Structures are given as structure tokens and as C-alpha cells.
Amino acid sequence: MTNIPTIDFTGKVAFVTGAGSGIGRATAVAFAKAGASVTAVDISEKGLAGTVELLEGFGTKILPIICDVTSGDSVKAALDETLKSFGRLDAAFNNAGIEQPAQPLVELSEELFDGVIAVNLKSVFLCMKYQLEIMLRQGSGAIVNTASGAGVLAIRGQSSYCASKFGVVAVSKVAALENADKGIRVNAICPGIIDTPMIARYTGDTEAGRANIIAQEPIGRMGRPEEIAGTVLWLCSDAGGFVTGHAMVVDGGQTAGI
Ligand code: NAD
């Protein structure tokens, strides 16, 4: 047997959005630990500074960039910087996102709907648009976009969030089909309930709030950001080389059934 795949990103370049917190931070760290040079993108300067501190421990190259992923110009500039610094782009994790406060559709404002769609969905379109230009020139690359369990299952009180995440699954599949024969794979990841600052905000960070949300998880606990990072690295590596156009749930059984 030859070419048994390993998850080693030595000499490779990874681009991670939402890298200043939670799932994005854990994934930026995992890429660095696996040997990649990492562009870490976030809108929060403070969050990004915390991630850079963690990344510095791995001795790989780090490029932190403050960027609002809802702006095409800013996203393009971040990718131009990446090419200038590292010369290529092998793996992209388009993950920045925001939550929607639980609210029935009839009460949801137009502004809130537009805001969630811009950060969670339009950003994924913009990131892929400019990443694919680079990857098409290279003839290689792998992209993972963060959807959610809310991207495969409707949740009451989450119309804008579900719309954004179903949309992420849709654009990921379209991009996968358009580029499958060009050496580029595109997948979506659908995390269940993961213990991050986003979930702390959503539950009010109280014991009762946490217990309430853990009750939705057949596995009986929240997931850890590192458990999403591990799957993202697998999807971006040669070990996941035959996987494209997939929306992979990593959710403790949350969407398996009732
Ligand atoms: P988080 O709030 O801990 O981290 C999100 C990061 O995105 C933050 O650092 C934030 O500053 C950044 N961000 C927000 N808006 C941005 C913008 N316009 N430009 C650039 N960066 C921006 O949240 P998390 O739980 O790590 O979530 C990461 C992703 O995972 C999101 O897309 C979220 O919807 C998704 N998700 C989370 C869970 C969960 O249970 N935590 C479950 C399913 C999906």
C-alpha cells in the first residue's frame, strides 16, 4: 500500500475566519499544531490577540488580520495579504458567525434578519469567491464552511439563523459541484451545541440555561470546539480526499432523530 493519508499540514497554508474565539480559535490552533502557516481573521482585535498568543506556541507562521467578513473588499484584501505572505492557499475554514436571539419570525425585525444573513451567509459566498480564484489558479485546495444543526433542521425562534445556515449548506454544495473536477473540494460542517462564548451568550451562561440546552444532546454534554477542529482538519486533509459536497453533522446525535 502506498500514499496512506495523514493529517499533516507542514508547508501548507490555512485561512480561518472567526479565529478570535470558540470554534475558529480551536481550528486555527489545530492547523498550526499540524504544521500549517495560518492566516487568522476576525473582526475582534482583542479576540484575535488571544488567539495569536496561543498560536505562537507552535513555531509556525501566523498572519493575524482584522477583517469584517461581510465586506468583499476586506475579504479580498485579507486573501491578497495571505498570498503576499505565504504564496499559496491550501485550506480555508469560513466560520465567522453570529447568533440570533430566540424570537418568532413574526416579531423579527428586517434589520436583524439582514444582519444575520450578511455575517453568516454572505460572508461565506464572499470568502469562497476570492478563495476559489486562488485555488483555481493552483489547481488544488479544500474549503470547509461552518453551517450548523440549524442548517439541516428547522428550529423554532431561529428563522434568520436557520435561513443563513441552510444557505451555507446550499452554497457549499453548489461550489463543490462547480469545482469537483478542478482539484478543489468544498464541504460544510454542521456542529451541534458546542461550548463556546456564543453558546454562553445564548444560554445566559447559567447552570439552568446550560442544562436546558444539554438536554437537546443525546450524548449528554456539549461538544468541545476542538472536536469540531479535528473534523475540519480531516475534511481539509488528504484523509478526506474523496469527500466533497457534504454537510457533515458533528453533533452528539442531536439531528439523528427523536
Ligand atoms: P463565537 O462567538 O465564540 O466566535 C465567533 C467569532 O466570529 C468571534 O470571534 C467573532 O468576533 C467573529 N465574527 C463575528 N462577526 C464577524 C465579522 N463580521 N467578521 C469577522 N469575524 C466576525 O462563536 P462560535 O460558537 O465559535 O461559532 C463559530 C461558528 O460556528 C459560527 O458560524 C456559528 O454560527 C457556528 N456554530 C456554532 C455552534 C455552537 O454551538 N457554538 C453550533 C453550530 C454552529
Side-chain angles (χ1 to χ4, degrees):
M1 260 195 278
T2 56
N3 296 331
I4 295 174
T6 52
I7 300 181
D8 178 9
F9 285 87
T10 306
K12 303 242 166 113
V13 177
F15 181 96
V16 177
T17 76
S21 178
I23 293 169
R25 173 179 282 177
T27 307
V29 167
F31 271 122
K33 197 172 175 192
S37 301
V38 179
T39 299
V41 169
D42 206 286
I43 200 169
S44 160
E45 206 170 332
K46 190 166 166 233
L48 208 49
T51 301
V52 166
E53 236 176 81
L54 292 171
L55 288 173
E56 278 167 352
F58 296 102
T60 57
K61 290 182 189 148
I62 313 153
L63 178 64
I65 299 181
I66 304 293
C67 163
D68 178 352
V69 291
T70 66
S71 153
D73 286 348
S74 304
V75 168
K76 187 172 183 318
L79 285 156
D80 286 348
E81 268 303 297
T82 301
L83 277 192
K84 215 166 94 190
S85 297
F86 301 140
R88 54 184 297 108
L89 177 64
D90 300 290
F93 182 40
N94 301 319
N95 160 80
I98 53 173
E99 66 274 26
Q100 181 206 311
Q103 207 170 25
L105 185 150
V106 70
E107 291 170 15
L108 196 68
S109 72
E110 190 176 338
E111 290 72 25
L112 208 147
F113 185 87
D114 283 348
V116 171
I117 295 292
V119 179
N120 291 3
L121 175 57
K122 184 184 168 196
S123 67
V124 169
F125 156 71
L126 290 172
C127 285
M128 285 205 292
K129 179 175 166 62
Y130 296 114
Q131 290 157 357
L132 284 166
E133 280 183 8
I134 299 167
M135 290 177 176
L136 284 167
R137 281 199 301 273
Q138 287 175 181
S140 67
I143 298 175
V144 175
N145 299 315
T146 302
S148 169
V152 292
L153 206 64
I155 300 174
R156 288 179 188 83
Q158 289 296 322
S159 50
S160 70
Y161 191 77
C162 284
S164 70
K165 297 303 189 179
F166 271 72
V168 168
V169 170
V171 290
S172 302
K173 286 179 185 264
V174 171
L177 289 176
E178 289 175 355
N179 296 285
D181 61 349
K182 300 179 177 73
I184 301 164
R185 296 182 298 104
V186 184
N187 292 288
I189 191 161
C190 303
I193 297 161
I194 311 301
D195 200 354
T196 69
M198 177 183 281
I199 283 295
R201 289 191 298 273
Y202 190 74
T203 60
D205 208 16
T206 60
E207 268 313 307
R210 287 173 68 86
N212 195 28
I213 207 158
I214 287 170
Q216 298 173 23
E217 278 290 5
I219 210 165
R221 66 170 174 85
M222 291 194 207
R224 293 185 289 274
E226 296 76 14
E227 290 172 313
I228 303 302
T231 310
V232 173
L233 260 68
W234 179 80
L235 282 168
C236 289
S237 75
D238 292 345
F242 203 53
V243 184
T244 196
H246 185 43
M248 179 171 281
V249 297
V250 183
D251 71 350
Q254 191 189 19
T255 56
I258 49 169

